[in-house]
Amino acid sequence: MSDDEYKQLHPILSEVTRTYVDLYTNRPNEKNREKLIKLEKLLREKLEQIQAATKDNG
């Protein structure tokens, strides 16, 4: 499976993966790291909301 196919099939997981990679790639830059941690928290909350909505509707 190519990266593009993976991004199309799993957009949320792809974004979470990119966030983790960015988090560790930019580790020396503390402000970026803090922003990425906040973004990770937001993405996790949104993912939980989506999963809850899917579970309620399914």
Side-chain angles (χ1 to χ4, degrees), residues 34-49:
E34 289 173 8
K35 288 179 185 177
L36 290 169
I37 289 171
K38 290 177 186 175
L39 178 60
E40 177 189 358
K41 180 181 176 187
L42 179 64
L43 286 171
R44 189 176 304 273
E45 290 171 359
K46 295 296 182 188
L47 177 60
E48 289 171 0
Q49 289 175 359

Side-chain angles (χ1 to χ4, degrees), residues 8-22:
Q8 287 178 344
L9 293 173
H10 307 288
I12 295 170
L13 290 176
S14 177
E15 190 65 25
V16 170
T17 301
R18 188 179 65 80
T19 300
Y20 275 115
V21 169
D22 287 348

